[in-house]
Amino acid sequence: QLQLAESGGGLVQPGGSLRLSCRATRGTLAYYPIAWFRQAPGKEREGILCIAYNDVTTIYNDSVKGRFIITQDNGRSTVFLQMNRLKPEDTGTYYCAADLQRNYCVGASGSGRDFDPWGQGTQVTVSS
């Protein structure tokens, strides 16, 4: 079965940048839509961006528009989340997840109920 893992989180100052990576530790990303989510304490998990195998992307959170970019490498071994001009409100645990039932990104993620499996999460803290 497909298993995912995120990496690249850490502590960064406001205005800084960070690049997260999502890889398959078991199986391959294949043609599955891969989406990034985040969750802050006391809040529901929220969708950020999704990318399909053909590079078609879907934005789920307007608060990251113009700041975050989702990409993937040529062999689709890794999906990246490039985060620029980070703000304290971006702080949270970031997850990647796959939609095994489609080859396109759903138009709305909700809290991620279309996605399974999930990675273990990587912590992003934006603070001076």
Side-chain angles (χ1 to χ4, degrees):
Q1 67 274 25
L2 176 64
Q3 289 184 316
L4 303 175
E6 307 90 343
S7 62
L11 175 64
V12 64
Q13 294 185 355
S17 296
L18 213 56
R19 188 179 74 165
L20 307 183
S21 298
C22 176
R23 296 180 175 90
T25 58
R26 180 179 296 184
T28 65
L29 301 184
Y31 297 95
Y32 307 128
I34 305 295
W36 286 97
F37 298 80
R38 67 184 181 186
Q39 187 171 26
K43 298 180 64 177
E44 293 185 357
R45 197 145 52 186
E46 62 179 0
I48 305 171
L49 286 159
C50 181
I51 189 166
Y53 76 96
N54 58 359
D55 281 335
V56 175
T57 61
T58 302
I59 186 167
Y60 294 140
N61 190 329
D62 285 341
S63 72
V64 307
K65 187 176 182 180
R67 299 190 297 124
F68 290 11
I69 304 169
I70 189 168
T71 59
Q72 58 199 356
D73 66 8
N74 289 338
R76 209 167 196 256
S77 64
T78 309
V79 171
F80 303 98
L81 182 66
Q82 178 67 46
M83 305 185 294
N84 300 316
R85 299 186 299 281
L86 283 160
K87 305 174 181 179
E89 52 263 43
D90 294 319
T91 293
T93 304
Y94 283 68
Y95 302 86
C96 66
D99 180 356
L100 302 186
Q101 301 190 91
R102 301 170 179 86
N103 63 3
Y104 60 92
C105 295
V106 294
S109 71
S111 59
R113 58 180 56 90
D114 294 292
F115 292 84
D116 190 4
W118 296 72
Q120 82 289 342
T122 186
Q123 179 67 35
V124 173
T125 302
V126 185
S127 179
S128 299

